[in-house]
Amino acid sequence: IQPPEKPLQAEEWNRLRESFQSPAVFEEVMFNSMIRCNSPIDVAKSLLTHVAKNNGDIAYNLLLKYLALCVQQGQTSEIHDVYEIMKIKFKILESGAYNLIIRGLSNSDQWRMALTLLEEVKKIMIPSRTNYECCIKAAGRHQEMNLAFELYHEMLTKDLVPTLDVLQAFFDFSRGMKGAKLQKELFGVLLYLRDNQIYPHKMFMRSIKLWFESIPGGNWRGQLTNIKDSGQCPVCNHQLEDSDLTEEEYDNLRERIIRDVIHGTDMFRKTSPQEFEAFQTFVENRLPFDIVIDGLNVSHIKPRKMQCENLFDAVNCLAKDNARLLVLGRKHMLINSSNWKREIMKEMQNKADFFFAENISEDDAFLLYATLRSGKHCKFVTRDFLRDHKACLSDSLTRHLFRKWQRGHQIEFSPSSKKMFLSVFIQQPAFRYDCVVQTTGDTWHIPYKDISEEKYSYRVPRKWLCIQQK
Amino acid sequence: MQSANVLLKKIVRSSVLPFAAQHGMKKDLFPLSRTLSLSLCLKQDNSCNPPKKLDLDAWKKVMKSGLQEEVSETVSECKELSTLAAARELLEMWRLAGRLVPENISDEQLKTFLECPSKSAKKKYLRYLHLKELYKKNDKRKMDEKRERRLESQEQASKTDENKRNSFICLWANCMDRAYSWRVAQSMIFGQPLIFDMSYEKDMSVREVANTVRQIVLSEGCNRRSVDPFHIHFCNFKDDSLYHKEFIKHYREAWGKLLITVTDQCYTDVFPKDKLIYLTADSPKVMKTFDHDKIYIVGSMVDRSIKTGVSLARAKRLGLETAALPLEKYLLWNTGAKNLTLDQMMQILLTLKDTGDWKKALEFVPKRKYCGFVSKPVRQLQKTLNLINTLKLGKRQEEVQKQFAKSYSRKLTQK
């Protein structure tokens, strides 16, 4: 239904209500459409007055909707009044009302009131991240950066994930401001991006750049660039961090993979103890490998070709330079069939080591184990994203480590579309450098995502912001 | 500018002051005076023609009136709210705000609510309670209506009183029960065993265990009513486990009188290993026929979160043979997981035992999960299904149509 444009008299409301098919919910529906159409507030007031005179009371949900309308239009004094009334009428308020009031007040000059409301919310529950967002933005808008950062840290201790908007707001509001402490805090935000592998979007990147360039006496200059495959920044010739894990991280990751992915809740789900032991001794006797190949995955690259031929091509392609190869497969590959020819399999086994797991075992877990056991130089080949194995890892820190390691060590094959007949693969190499916010003190390198480019979670951005101090 | 302002002030004051004095107001109220004077004018206007102007803030007065006395009480109470009571208040407010929240909630439920680990978990739990309450209310209403109708019809019947005579005393339910019990008792001596593996408690949440038990109760009922029942075994059953508690909730006193075998032993200790077959949807082997000499094991597990391979792992550990139902072979699968509920499994196994007819047995698979029975070669049907799906999604329409035309013309020529 269309809300009226002008305030109505009681009789007119009555008439409207009677013409509506279900009069019981008339007010609710009317308020909803008022919010949708952003009707003038006087219209809403007249309806409230009508309801109040008829019933002597106004239901909480109607007040809430009226409040939403006020917040939508920034009617600060009305928000105040409604809050007063709610506080008198009800012992406590619920989260919806608090969200609205905090949002409404934080945008007005009475933003400090929003802070006291935030304290009130804390008494009954953990405030949402948008509550914090509103308060932080309000504080920032009024140049109270200390307060804003205090709230931000409080939010982090409560395990709330700040929105990119808040992080961006920090850079926007502290543009041109001086102070060593402030600078440290903002570097802290950048390191937060680094630790959580978050990539800022283009607008955010621009805010960062402008902030750096606005630091009085800082002499920072930012430039957009693409990093070379070698990992060198074309602007400042600085070599980016490589994607290798530290010794400690590497050991940690390996242990966690064995514990969480291979053993998990029940080792029999993915393999069996006998089989895993056999695999372990197999690997230990032949260490180290240079490339570990997921045989079954690779054999499906070109669907029209025989599976063992696909694998054969891949092995040939990788067998150059005396690389030591390990191919993981399943026992059914050894049985002569239309897809798996015994002669070809024999020939391949001369070029690479093969391990055949049981048909119902998961070979991916073996893939991870063999690669990690061989050492840092070892890479693995599969098109699988290994998401299910990543999900088995219990904490986010290890998952980040896993992602980083995966970026640096996974080689992907895809069939070249034009040369369908030639055995040529496009080999997507593992990254040599780590795609993450990084600093050396007088330079910062920040990867960012273009909004126009489609971004999948497994693909890392190729564009960078290089900032250096002159 | 300033002089004009002063002038205005003077004029306004002179016209307002007497009015303000009337209402007992003091000076220094200049900011207010202008609106006051305006409303004065309006009032005069209104007095001429019938009241037309709306007082938009009237609702505030209504809301504030009559509340002042209560305030002092509520404030003092507010401070003494315990966490439980505070949560109750919060729920009440949510209910007023129109969220899906139950009207009545017990302290125990409130505690569970507070223990929920996240906001969404809380929301889900409340929604669940709300729906439960709603169903209960509806049931009660229906029962009341039914009772009223029955009373009415009885009244009518008593008016037209006629003595009906019958050679049997009406004791149907009782007789049937006895007959069923007789059959199940027979099967406990001579019948084929069927095992429910009750060792999945730690893999499930409390709600999942409750669901499992409910499904087992249903399957036990089916078994009891069948012509040739199984001899049901509950293996790995621990006393005082969650399963046990839930069973007692369902059966009450009847739990001790059930005609089933309950043991805390593993099935491998009770039966020879080579006779056991573990039924699991993850099994690579597909069941071809129902074997009357084998002993089938069904895992008593409901997994709402997807945990694949749990029962397969168990069978692997014990070195047992496994099998899956030939769903793919007989049904054109559409959506949904291949794991069926325990009562559906029971129905299927019972039908297989009686008739050996797969088609009849697989009627018990929920209809939403499959499109139809396979009569033609599976591959061809799969093709049509893919076709339907692509047509539905509107992807690559031309290509699909071309393909369809081709296959259709081929069919025609074949005929």
Tab-separated table of all heavy atoms in Angstrom, chain A residues 170-199:
chain	number	residue	atom	x	y	z
A	170	PHE	N	39.497	5.142	9.486
A	170	PHE	CA	40.665	5.576	10.244
A	170	PHE	C	41.615	6.390	9.379
A	170	PHE	O	42.117	7.434	9.785
A	170	PHE	CB	41.422	4.360	10.787
A	170	PHE	CG	40.788	3.768	12.013
A	170	PHE	CD1	40.538	2.415	12.088
A	170	PHE	CD2	40.452	4.574	13.085
A	170	PHE	CE1	39.956	1.865	13.212
A	170	PHE	CE2	39.875	4.029	14.215
A	170	PHE	CZ	39.633	2.680	14.281
A	171	PHE	N	41.841	5.884	8.177
A	171	PHE	CA	42.775	6.589	7.295
A	171	PHE	C	42.190	7.902	6.804
A	171	PHE	O	42.892	8.899	6.674
A	171	PHE	CB	43.169	5.695	6.119
A	171	PHE	CG	44.057	4.565	6.520
A	171	PHE	CD1	43.537	3.323	6.823
A	171	PHE	CD2	45.427	4.750	6.626
A	171	PHE	CE1	44.358	2.284	7.217
A	171	PHE	CE2	46.259	3.726	7.021
A	171	PHE	CZ	45.725	2.495	7.311
A	172	ASP	N	40.893	7.898	6.543
A	172	ASP	CA	40.258	9.118	6.048
A	172	ASP	C	40.292	10.220	7.102
A	172	ASP	O	40.599	11.368	6.810
A	172	ASP	CB	38.804	8.832	5.659
A	172	ASP	CG	38.726	8.093	4.341
A	172	ASP	OD1	39.704	8.198	3.566
A	172	ASP	OD2	37.719	7.416	4.089
A	173	PHE	N	39.980	9.832	8.347
A	173	PHE	CA	39.816	10.861	9.376
A	173	PHE	C	41.140	11.376	9.899
A	173	PHE	O	41.219	12.477	10.421
A	173	PHE	CB	38.979	10.324	10.538
A	173	PHE	CG	37.550	10.113	10.162
A	173	PHE	CD1	36.882	8.957	10.519
A	173	PHE	CD2	36.862	11.079	9.433
A	173	PHE	CE1	35.569	8.767	10.161
A	173	PHE	CE2	35.551	10.890	9.075
A	173	PHE	CZ	34.902	9.733	9.432
A	174	SER	N	42.189	10.573	9.789
A	174	SER	CA	43.450	11.061	10.351
A	174	SER	C	44.354	11.649	9.277
A	174	SER	O	45.547	11.810	9.496
A	174	SER	CB	44.155	9.948	11.120
A	174	SER	OG	44.017	8.733	10.463
A	175	ARG	N	43.779	11.951	8.135
A	175	ARG	CA	44.572	12.557	7.075
A	175	ARG	C	45.099	13.911	7.532
A	175	ARG	O	44.354	14.738	8.051
A	175	ARG	CB	43.713	12.721	5.826
A	175	ARG	CG	44.498	12.971	4.569
A	175	ARG	CD	43.576	13.015	3.382
A	175	ARG	NE	42.873	11.747	3.184
A	175	ARG	CZ	41.771	11.633	2.452
A	175	ARG	NH1	41.241	12.686	1.880
A	175	ARG	NH2	41.201	10.465	2.311
A	176	GLY	N	46.375	14.105	7.374
A	176	GLY	CA	46.961	15.392	7.719
A	176	GLY	C	47.190	15.604	9.197
A	176	GLY	O	47.668	16.653	9.617
A	177	MET	N	46.837	14.628	10.016
A	177	MET	CA	47.053	14.811	11.458
A	177	MET	C	48.448	14.336	11.818
A	177	MET	O	49.009	13.434	11.219
A	177	MET	CB	46.012	14.016	12.245
A	177	MET	CG	44.677	14.719	12.287
A	177	MET	SD	43.392	13.641	12.854
A	177	MET	CE	43.583	13.741	14.596
A	178	LYS	N	48.953	14.948	12.860
A	178	LYS	CA	50.316	14.628	13.257
A	178	LYS	C	50.279	13.820	14.554
A	178	LYS	O	49.299	13.838	15.280
A	178	LYS	CB	51.094	15.932	13.467
A	178	LYS	CG	52.557	15.797	13.089
A	178	LYS	CD	53.234	17.150	13.176
A	178	LYS	CE	54.734	16.957	13.057
A	178	LYS	NZ	55.442	18.215	13.076
A	179	GLY	N	51.357	13.160	14.824
A	179	GLY	CA	51.435	12.425	16.095
A	179	GLY	C	52.014	11.045	15.893
A	179	GLY	O	51.552	10.291	15.053
A	180	ALA	N	53.035	10.754	16.673
A	180	ALA	CA	53.709	9.469	16.542
A	180	ALA	C	52.781	8.327	16.945
A	180	ALA	O	52.773	7.257	16.344
A	180	ALA	CB	54.961	9.453	17.417
A	181	LYS	N	51.958	8.593	17.949
A	181	LYS	CA	51.078	7.535	18.456
A	181	LYS	C	50.035	7.158	17.403
A	181	LYS	O	49.773	5.983	17.142
A	181	LYS	CB	50.388	8.038	19.727
A	181	LYS	CG	49.760	6.900	20.505
A	181	LYS	CD	49.176	7.362	21.817
A	181	LYS	CE	48.281	6.269	22.356
A	181	LYS	NZ	46.926	6.707	22.600
A	182	LEU	N	49.471	8.210	16.797
A	182	LEU	CA	48.472	7.986	15.762
A	182	LEU	C	49.067	7.177	14.623
A	182	LEU	O	48.457	6.213	14.125
A	182	LEU	CB	47.977	9.339	15.248
A	182	LEU	CG	46.921	9.280	14.153
A	182	LEU	CD1	45.620	8.797	14.725
A	182	LEU	CD2	46.740	10.634	13.507
A	183	GLN	N	50.281	7.552	14.239
A	183	GLN	CA	50.942	6.866	13.141
A	183	GLN	C	51.129	5.385	13.482
A	183	GLN	O	50.885	4.506	12.660
A	183	GLN	CB	52.302	7.527	12.915
A	183	GLN	CG	52.870	7.253	11.550
A	183	GLN	CD	54.010	8.201	11.248
A	183	GLN	OE1	53.949	9.384	11.580
A	183	GLN	NE2	55.048	7.683	10.666
A	184	LYS	N	51.487	5.155	14.709
A	184	LYS	CA	51.705	3.773	15.145
A	184	LYS	C	50.398	2.979	15.069
A	184	LYS	O	50.377	1.824	14.628
A	184	LYS	CB	52.240	3.786	16.576
A	184	LYS	CG	53.059	2.551	16.908
A	184	LYS	CD	53.591	2.634	18.335
A	184	LYS	CE	53.424	1.297	19.012
A	184	LYS	NZ	53.315	1.413	20.458
A	185	GLU	N	49.339	3.616	15.501
A	185	GLU	CA	48.036	2.944	15.464
A	185	GLU	C	47.662	2.562	14.036
A	185	GLU	O	47.174	1.467	13.771
A	185	GLU	CB	46.939	3.855	16.042
A	185	GLU	CG	47.014	4.078	17.537
A	185	GLU	CD	46.436	2.902	18.321
A	185	GLU	OE1	46.165	1.857	17.702
A	185	GLU	OE2	46.288	3.044	19.542
A	186	LEU	N	47.894	3.498	13.111
A	186	LEU	CA	47.496	3.234	11.730
A	186	LEU	C	48.372	2.162	11.101
A	186	LEU	O	47.904	1.333	10.329
A	186	LEU	CB	47.539	4.528	10.916
A	186	LEU	CG	46.343	5.424	11.249
A	186	LEU	CD1	46.558	6.817	10.731
A	186	LEU	CD2	45.070	4.844	10.675
A	187	PHE	N	49.661	2.169	11.465
A	187	PHE	CA	50.506	1.065	11.012
A	187	PHE	C	49.958	-0.247	11.572
A	187	PHE	O	49.994	-1.282	10.909
A	187	PHE	CB	51.956	1.262	11.485
A	187	PHE	CG	52.701	2.309	10.707
A	187	PHE	CD1	53.873	2.861	11.193
A	187	PHE	CD2	52.235	2.740	9.479
A	187	PHE	CE1	54.562	3.821	10.479
A	187	PHE	CE2	52.905	3.702	8.749
A	187	PHE	CZ	54.076	4.246	9.257
A	188	GLY	N	49.449	-0.153	12.795
A	188	GLY	CA	48.831	-1.341	13.414
A	188	GLY	C	47.673	-1.855	12.582
A	188	GLY	O	47.502	-3.065	12.410
A	189	VAL	N	46.865	-0.929	12.037
A	189	VAL	CA	45.742	-1.348	11.186
A	189	VAL	C	46.267	-2.067	9.947
A	189	VAL	O	45.742	-3.108	9.534
A	189	VAL	CB	44.884	-0.131	10.784
A	189	VAL	CG1	43.840	-0.531	9.770
A	189	VAL	CG2	44.240	0.487	12.001
A	190	LEU	N	47.344	-1.515	9.381
A	190	LEU	CA	47.919	-2.156	8.189
A	190	LEU	C	48.433	-3.559	8.524
A	190	LEU	O	48.279	-4.496	7.744
A	190	LEU	CB	49.061	-1.306	7.632
A	190	LEU	CG	48.633	-0.013	6.947
A	190	LEU	CD1	49.835	0.805	6.543
A	190	LEU	CD2	47.774	-0.324	5.727
A	191	LEU	N	49.021	-3.689	9.700
A	191	LEU	CA	49.513	-5.007	10.095
A	191	LEU	C	48.356	-5.965	10.364
A	191	LEU	O	48.485	-7.171	10.177
A	191	LEU	CB	50.406	-4.890	11.331
A	191	LEU	CG	51.728	-4.161	11.065
A	191	LEU	CD1	52.545	-4.048	12.332
A	191	LEU	CD2	52.523	-4.878	9.981
A	192	TYR	N	47.224	-5.397	10.796
A	192	TYR	CA	46.019	-6.234	10.960
A	192	TYR	C	45.620	-6.824	9.612
A	192	TYR	O	45.271	-7.992	9.504
A	192	TYR	CB	44.881	-5.390	11.542
A	192	TYR	CG	43.578	-6.140	11.682
A	192	TYR	CD1	43.335	-6.924	12.806
A	192	TYR	CD2	42.599	-6.067	10.692
A	192	TYR	CE1	42.158	-7.630	12.929
A	192	TYR	CE2	41.423	-6.763	10.813
A	192	TYR	CZ	41.201	-7.543	11.937
A	192	TYR	OH	40.035	-8.237	12.053
A	193	LEU	N	45.686	-5.984	8.572
A	193	LEU	CA	45.390	-6.472	7.219
A	193	LEU	C	46.351	-7.595	6.852
A	193	LEU	O	45.975	-8.608	6.271
A	193	LEU	CB	45.527	-5.348	6.191
A	193	LEU	CG	44.560	-4.180	6.276
A	193	LEU	CD1	44.850	-3.198	5.162
A	193	LEU	CD2	43.131	-4.670	6.173
A	194	ARG	N	47.610	-7.413	7.217
A	194	ARG	CA	48.624	-8.404	6.896
A	194	ARG	C	48.336	-9.731	7.603
A	194	ARG	O	48.316	-10.785	6.986
A	194	ARG	CB	49.998	-7.874	7.310
A	194	ARG	CG	51.112	-8.869	7.119
A	194	ARG	CD	52.383	-8.384	7.825
A	194	ARG	NE	53.359	-9.476	7.900
A	194	ARG	CZ	54.248	-9.733	6.952
A	194	ARG	NH1	54.299	-8.975	5.883
A	194	ARG	NH2	55.084	-10.747	7.082
A	195	ASP	N	48.086	-9.633	8.892
A	195	ASP	CA	47.906	-10.851	9.673
A	195	ASP	C	46.692	-11.649	9.238
A	195	ASP	O	46.673	-12.868	9.335
A	195	ASP	CB	47.763	-10.506	11.162
A	195	ASP	CG	49.069	-9.993	11.728
A	195	ASP	OD1	50.106	-10.260	11.103
A	195	ASP	OD2	49.047	-9.311	12.776
A	196	ASN	N	45.667	-10.937	8.783
A	196	ASN	CA	44.448	-11.658	8.408
A	196	ASN	C	44.301	-11.831	6.901
A	196	ASN	O	43.253	-12.236	6.425
A	196	ASN	CB	43.225	-10.930	8.971
A	196	ASN	CG	43.221	-10.977	10.466
A	196	ASN	OD1	42.940	-12.005	11.065
A	196	ASN	ND2	43.581	-9.873	11.094
A	197	GLN	N	45.351	-11.513	6.189
A	197	GLN	CA	45.359	-11.654	4.733
A	197	GLN	C	44.132	-11.006	4.084
A	197	GLN	O	43.421	-11.603	3.292
A	197	GLN	CB	45.453	-13.129	4.335
A	197	GLN	CG	46.710	-13.755	4.886
A	197	GLN	CD	46.994	-15.128	4.298
A	197	GLN	OE1	46.464	-15.479	3.261
A	197	GLN	NE2	47.839	-15.882	4.938
A	198	ILE	N	43.899	-9.770	4.501
A	198	ILE	CA	42.797	-9.001	3.910
A	198	ILE	C	43.397	-8.074	2.869
A	198	ILE	O	44.454	-7.475	3.095
A	198	ILE	CB	42.073	-8.164	4.984
A	198	ILE	CG1	41.520	-9.074	6.071
A	198	ILE	CG2	40.976	-7.317	4.374
A	198	ILE	CD1	41.050	-8.335	7.289
A	199	TYR	N	42.726	-7.965	1.727
A	199	TYR	CA	43.195	-7.051	0.702
A	199	TYR	C	42.235	-5.873	0.604
A	199	TYR	O	41.043	-6.074	0.419
A	199	TYR	CB	43.276	-7.772	-0.644
A	199	TYR	CG	44.097	-9.028	-0.575
A	199	TYR	CD1	43.519	-10.277	-0.768
A	199	TYR	CD2	45.451	-8.961	-0.272
A	199	TYR	CE1	44.273	-11.434	-0.686
A	199	TYR	CE2	46.213	-10.107	-0.181
A	199	TYR	CZ	45.620	-11.340	-0.389
A	199	TYR	OH	46.369	-12.476	-0.292
